[in-house]
Amino acid sequence: MSKKNQLEAYYGLPNEVTFCTKCVMSNQRPTSAVEFKHTKESKKTTMNFDDDGICDACKTAEIKDNIDWGMREEELVKLLDKHRKNDGSYDCLVPGSGGKDSAYQAHVLKYKYNMNPLTVTWPPILYTDYGLKNWKNWLDAGFDNISFYRNGKVMKLLTRLSIENLLHPFQTFILGQKNLAPKIAAQHGINLVFYGENEAEYGNPIADNTSSLRDKSFFSFENLDEVFLAGVSIKELMDKYDVRLSDLMSFLPPKIEDLEKANIEVHYLGYYLKWTPQEVYYYAVENTGFKARPHRTQGTFSKYSGIDDKIDDLHFYTTFIKFGIGRATYDAAQEIRNRHLTREEGQALVRRFDGEFPDRYFDDIMKYIEMEPEYFHELCNKFRSPHLWGKDKGGEWKLRHNVSKTGLDD
């Protein structure tokens, strides 16, 4: 298709849709979960593909096979010894909700490496029953915890606005989740914060495992006039929605001067220990009482990832609408990289489950944010990028291209 005849691509996505030759991920995958607007002017970047059509995440998986994990563990022990405290105070911080990843992180750090972690929870917007039980089981396995329940009225407002303006139910939730850990660490004199998997596992730029938070752009409190939450400026939130700055502080990053005093380091445990999601799941089950969902997660084939928040399933449905990438694509791609699935098996799972509408908790979510279901579906149609979606002869929306090459324009 000539440039003149190209269909409009929203969010700065590539006009030509291609799929990784090793997994099932497409070149439409954004590199990080940050805010973006429904506009062609957006400069959103996507993951890279090499000349052989292999995505960054698959190349990272290949690199993992050649890493000397014994040496990486030695690096970890040196890091822990540097921060280890012998006076009974906390020497590291692990943010999490009690899912398999945070359960694994905290347990390994405490019971294998003899650290004293403080766990910190930015709670789900709408807990599932089993998610709440997993969180309690995690703490009962031997951990102190701070659970920070932000302003409920503001969380509800921002969740609704995130859907209306960005079709991104988790946008402000993710920002608060990211920003809480360094604030709590600074308050408690903890200099070491651990996240789980390195972001490069999913095709994001490889995270720096040694930098301080002062160097990380998303931890900057400068230029609040340029900060948008849920697609709305701070000023507009205060003026139009009668929200105080104090109501928004829990979503915003810490102040620069606080970071400079705290001298906090952020590290990814997945950089030091080989991280395989299925094995992490088994470890969490055995050591922290973690339990999978009692049913298959809608939109995919798995039962144990991202199961603590009712809105999680809807979030992945919106990524399917905006990028043509549903939860089954994310899960199958990861399983292929870990050699638990073949590409052909992954394609079959994507065909079967990607884009499945998550109706199990949908009414609960609409009631919570006070939105009519019909309005939500109208928003979904508004956010479909023309280069990804078209209507078939029956008037039904269909992807123009998919990994099985059975799309509207394949």
Side-chain angles (χ1 to χ4, degrees), residues 340-358:
H340 296 149
L341 289 175
T342 65
R343 189 173 190 270
E344 291 71 25
E345 289 169 335
Q347 287 175 304
L349 289 167
V350 170
R351 282 197 303 272
R352 183 174 179 184
F353 297 117
D354 232 27
E356 176 184 17
F357 186 73

Side-chain angles (χ1 to χ4, degrees), residues 60-70 72-73 76 104 108 112-113 196-198 201 268-281 283 334 337-340:
T60 297
E62 292 176 1
I63 292 171
K64 282 173 63 176
D65 290 336
N66 298 311
I67 289 174
D68 185 334
W69 291 104
R72 285 286 179 90
E73 187 177 22
L76 174 62
Y104 168 79
V108 163
K112 181 175 181 179
Y113 297 105
E197 293 170 280
N198 193 299
E201 297 275 355
Y268 292 83
L269 197 59
Y271 171 82
Y272 300 100
L273 303 176
K274 189 172 184 179
W275 197 282
T276 304
Q278 200 171 82
E279 293 178 9
V280 166
Y281 163 65
Y283 183 98
Q334 190 71 6
R337 293 174 200 132
N338 290 321
R339 299 187 178 88
H340 296 149

Side-chain angles (χ1 to χ4, degrees), residues 94-104 106 118-124 126-150 173 177 180 284 287-292 304 307-309:
V94 175
S97 62
K100 62 178 178 60
D101 295 337
S102 52
Y104 168 79
L118 173 65
T119 65
V120 174
T121 300
W122 176 266
L126 291 174
Y127 259 119
T128 59
D129 292 341
Y130 38 86
L132 182 58
K133 188 173 182 180
N134 280 332
W135 175 72
K136 292 178 178 177
N137 287 345
W138 177 39
L139 305 187
D140 287 345
F143 302 99
D144 293 346
N145 176 268
I146 292 175
S147 183
F148 184 90
Y149 195 87
R150 66 264 134 180
F173 175 84
Q177 186 181 53
L180 177 65
N287 294 284
T288 70
F290 179 84
K291 293 184 178 180
Y304 59 72
I307 64 173
D308 55 357
D309 198 326

Side-chain angles (χ1 to χ4, degrees), residues 203-315:
N204 293 331
I206 296 177
D208 184 350
N209 285 277
T210 59
S211 66
S212 70
L213 291 180
R214 177 63 180 86
D215 301 320
K216 293 183 179 291
S217 61
F218 57 84
F219 286 109
S220 174
F221 195 81
E222 299 170 331
N223 303 319
L224 272 186
D225 290 343
E226 299 176 13
V227 174
F228 283 68
L229 293 176
V232 182
S233 69
I234 300 294
K235 185 177 187 305
E236 185 178 359
L237 283 170
M238 296 171 65
D239 293 345
K240 182 177 179 179
Y241 297 97
D242 194 27
V243 175
R244 302 177 184 179
L245 180 59
S246 58
D247 294 329
L248 301 173
M249 290 300 289
S250 61
F251 297 91
L252 299 174
K255 296 180 179 179
I256 295 300
E257 54 267 29
D258 294 337
L259 292 179
E260 290 174 337
K261 292 177 184 177
N263 192 29
I264 298 169
E265 294 181 18
V266 166
H267 292 257
Y268 292 83
L269 197 59
Y271 171 82
Y272 300 100
L273 303 176
K274 189 172 184 179
W275 197 282
T276 304
Q278 200 171 82
E279 293 178 9
V280 166
Y281 163 65
Y282 292 139
Y283 183 98
V285 168
E286 182 177 349
N287 294 284
T288 70
F290 179 84
K291 293 184 178 180
R293 251 181 178 150
H295 48 78
R296 177 183 61 80
T297 297
Q298 290 181 304
T300 191
F301 50 90
S302 69
K303 292 184 177 182
Y304 59 72
S305 296
I307 64 173
D308 55 357
D309 198 326
K310 292 181 178 180
I311 295 183
D312 204 271
D313 302 348
L314 192 69
H315 165 65

